[in-house]
Amino acid sequence: MEDSSKSNAKGALLGLASMAVYATHDAVAKLLGGHYAAVQIIFFSALLSFPVLTVILLRDKREASLRPVRPGWVLARAAATVATGVCAFYAFSHLPLAQVYPILFAMPLLITIFAIPILGEKVGLHRWAAVIIGLIGVLIVVRPGQAELGMGHLAALAAAICGATASVIVRKIGKEERSVVLLLSPLLGNFVAMGLALPFVWVPLELPALGLMGVIALFGLTGAFLSILAYRTGEAAIVAPMQYSQIVWAVLFGWVFFSESVDAMTLLGAAVVIGSGLYIVWRESTAHTSQYTPVLRTRGRTEFVTAPRASILQRALYRGARAGR
């Protein structure tokens, strides 16, 4: 019991470290967003992360085709992942960080809903109540009719929807598709989609900005690796809630670097969304409550092209190591 408690405490600390790195990743994206379009930031950040991912992918020496088993679903997930990044980066650029995160925190609620038609998941009364209350929390943050709504709010909501869609698709096809295919498809989708859009938003790149885009790539991968370590060390039900610590960093970074203030209604809405998400995590960790546990298996963080899904990255590393023996 004592060893389990120590492992969970270490896993929680690693989870907190992962979310701190991810929050810094988002703050740098917001900083760049004041000068460059989300398309340009994501294109070059993903491009700079590609060499590291290529080394990881080359470790899998098994002879197998890169052709997807379920090409329609793979394409849908790649499109959803790319859209998640574009929408989230746009939201970071145009809204206070402390307003973006509560909307992104709705992703576990949306995963619970989307798992019904896509996975055939059965959701009971308790989790439905948590979803409804959580969505009310999002409305408290957004305050339609009271606060001025803009494209940033819509982009944040679209990021949550697309991120939830991508996560549920992974749960559906993850056992059939190679990790190489699941990691490569969003990257290739990014290069095609962002590359086509790049001429329309191009702003000449200065060297410091390119360096910060490299920081985004580095922090996206670092956050994913720390998340892998966290879930290897501690129980998922303990580590998963650490994602909500990002709101603390959002308030701190927003205040220190962007002169952003946070009002009571935003904090109240965030608390409602976080409480609902924690309840869903708890319900999924309870035996016989959920067949698929889609929220727990999402590993917390919204997946961006610049921050690959930790569970897929872990699978690629594990299978690559086994293939190399």
Side-chain angles (χ1 to χ4, degrees), residues 36-44 47 190-203 205 213:
Y36 301 94
V39 167
Q40 190 167 353
I41 298 169
I42 294 173
F43 180 84
F44 283 101
L47 184 65
N190 171 74
F191 292 141
V192 172
M194 301 301 103
L196 290 173
L198 196 58
F200 300 98
V201 298
W202 174 259
V203 173
L205 270 177
M213 291 176 188

Side-chain angles (χ1 to χ4, degrees), residues 3 8 19 32 36 43 104 107 224 280 324-325:
D3 290 340
N8 284 332
M19 294 306 138
L32 286 170
Y36 301 94
F43 180 84
L104 294 182
M107 194 183 75
I280 289 176
R325 289 177 182 174

